[in-house]
Amino acid sequence: MKKIFVLLFSLLNLTVLLAQKNKGLTMEEFQQAKTFDIKDLDKDDYAKFGDNKYIVERYEDRKPYFITGDDGKKKRIDLYSLSIKGEDAPLGTMIYYTTETGKRYISCIPNNFSDGKVWEKYFEDIHGIDKIEPFFVLKLSYVLSKEFSYLRYKATLKGEDANRAEAGTYGNDICFPGEDLVAMADGSKKMIKDVKLGDQIFVANEAEHTTKVTTVSQVMAHEEKNYALTKLTVVKSIISNDGHDIALTIQQLSATPNHPMQTTTGLKNIGSIQIGENIESVNPKNGKIEEFKVWDSEEKAGGIQKVYNLETKEGNTIIMNGVIVRQK
């Protein structure tokens, strides 16, 4: 999640490049901006508030983004630039996030000259929205990165790599935390810690890019340790011709960093897979194995726990949280 926040800074930085004065957004201005709503997002590209002192106008004349998740719910994201009347320097970027029911969440990305306490409050706000609206931050970062280029996104992550390693155990165990979900043959999902010998599960039928059923032949559980875990977030998007209607499928998987996965460039350990690479996942909409793009990768200590792995009578894969992984 922290990396996504860094991405949001990239929006800030580009905003700041446009600034002509080193004026930051004050806490009072920040709080006031969040209370200002656009009456009609389809028509109002320009508005004033605060006794006409402040101006919001559609960022770069961009159209809104529409993101539809696997649940079929469509979210709308509109970006507006915030500035003081008579000054070109932007104070920040307004975010208007509208749900399928019309409920609207408003936040404001401060500019680079804003006080740290304003930034802390901004982070608190988007964390709070994310608890109510699942994957809010991810969807927002998706939109921002589209706006400000994927290359810039990757560049901002370089500084984070130095802080990846925490106090987790890096060993020979190739496993998953117990709460990762295995795709069962009856269509349900079961936490890997509850899977039993003889259970019927899905594995990949790689020749036909579909799945097939096989039997669990071995269940392995390793002793409790503070294992290092890599968490991948992968996405598949279908984008309209104008780039503003987006159907987004999101999968997340955690495993020990040495666990092998199939990428489009060959077999790699999950910990070495880079953001932007493509891996194979099951599309829940059609049950087919398709390429998903790695959107985020986070490595940290997972806390004291057992980790698990499976072997099956046929195939050498498991479908964990919708993602295709090798058994070992």
Side-chain angles (χ1 to χ4, degrees):
M1 187 68 71
K2 185 178 179 180
K3 292 180 179 179
I4 296 176
F5 289 162
V6 173
L7 173 62
L8 302 184
F9 272 91
S10 69
L11 169 63
L12 163 71
N13 290 334
L14 282 183
T15 300
V16 168
L17 290 176
L18 302 175
Q20 297 177 355
K21 296 180 180 179
N22 297 342
K23 183 184 184 313
L25 186 68
T26 67
M27 183 62 79
E28 182 180 358
E29 291 171 332
F30 176 76
Q31 297 289 11
Q32 187 177 10
K34 292 191 303 176
T35 65
F36 179 72
D37 197 0
I38 301 291
K39 290 183 179 179
D40 189 339
L41 289 169
D42 290 323
K43 298 179 179 177
D44 300 336
D45 294 331
Y46 179 93
K48 299 176 184 177
F49 69 95
D51 294 329
N52 294 330
K53 179 180 179 181
Y54 300 99
I55 295 173
V56 290
E57 52 188 334
R58 189 168 287 280
Y59 179 82
E60 296 289 315
D61 294 325
R62 297 289 191 182
K63 295 171 59 179
Y65 284 90
F66 296 93
I67 300 180
T68 304
D70 291 336
D71 56 7
K73 296 178 179 178
K74 180 182 286 188
K75 317 293 182 180
R76 170 173 176 157
I77 298 178
D78 293 82
L79 301 178
Y80 282 72
S81 178
L82 169 66
S83 60
I84 295 178
K85 182 181 179 181
E87 298 182 6
D88 293 331
L91 293 174
T93 303
M94 299 294 299
I95 303 164
Y96 294 96
Y97 180 94
T98 310
T99 72
E100 67 285 351
T101 63
K103 183 175 178 57
R104 187 168 299 164
Y105 297 91
I106 303 173
S107 187
C108 179
I109 306 174
N111 73 11
N112 201 38
F113 304 111
S114 303
D115 187 85
K117 291 183 179 179
V118 179
W119 275 97
E120 289 177 7
K121 181 57 181 170
Y122 162 68
F123 289 148
E124 289 177 7
D125 287 352
I126 61 174
H127 266 305
I129 297 173
D130 201 70
K131 291 178 181 177
I132 302 170
E133 281 289 313
F135 299 116
F136 164 78
V137 172
L138 190 147
K139 292 170 182 173
L140 178 60
S141 67
Y142 188 91
V143 167
L144 298 184
S145 65
K146 276 181 64 64
E147 288 291 323
F148 299 104
S149 86
Y150 183 65
L151 288 179
R152 188 173 181 85
Y153 172 53
K154 292 178 67 175
T156 60
L157 294 178
K158 288 182 179 178
E160 286 295 295
D161 289 341
N163 299 321
R164 288 175 65 198
E166 296 181 21
T169 297
Y170 293 79
N172 296 321
D173 299 327
I174 299 175
C175 297
F176 304 93
E179 295 183 352
D180 273 8
L181 297 173
V182 178
M184 307 302 291
D186 63 0
S188 66
K189 295 180 180 178
K190 182 186 285 188
M191 288 189 286
I192 190 171
K193 66 182 181 181
D194 296 328
V195 173
K196 306 297 183 186
L197 198 67
D199 277 353
Q200 299 284 295
I201 67 172
F202 280 120
V203 295
N205 182 347
E206 295 174 283
E208 299 181 5
H209 298 287
T210 58
T211 57
K212 62 182 181 182
V213 175
T214 188
T215 304
V216 175
S217 59
Q218 188 174 359
V219 178
M220 293 151 280
H222 296 279
E223 64 178 307
E224 291 186 345
K225 293 179 183 177
N226 186 19
Y227 292 97
L229 295 175
T230 298
K231 181 179 179 181
L232 286 189
T233 299
V234 300
V235 302
K236 185 175 184 65
S237 59
I238 299 175
I239 305 172
S240 63
N241 290 336
D242 68 2
H244 285 262
D245 281 296
I246 303 167
L248 197 62
T249 298
I250 303 167
Q251 315 270 32
Q252 291 183 312
L253 171 73
S254 293
T256 53
N258 55 356
H259 201 100
M261 298 181 66
Q262 188 66 44
T263 74
T264 53
T265 57
L267 200 63
K268 293 185 177 181
N269 293 337
I270 185 173
S272 65
I273 295 175
Q274 301 297 308
I275 294 170
E277 288 195 73
N278 291 316
I279 65 169
E280 294 180 334
S281 291
V282 176
N283 188 334
K285 295 178 180 177
N286 56 27
K288 294 183 178 179
I289 297 174
E290 298 178 353
E291 290 183 3
F292 279 56
K293 189 175 293 294
V294 176
W295 183 256
D296 189 39
S297 177
E298 181 182 12
E299 192 170 304
K300 63 181 181 180
I304 302 295
Q305 61 181 310
K306 288 184 177 180
V307 290
Y308 301 81
N309 204 351
L310 305 176
E311 288 187 8
T312 57
K313 290 184 178 179
E314 296 181 71
N316 58 5
T317 62
I318 316 170
I319 302 172
M320 301 290 295
N321 291 358
V323 180
I324 308 296
V325 296
R326 296 289 171 177
Q327 291 180 15
K328 64 179 181 180

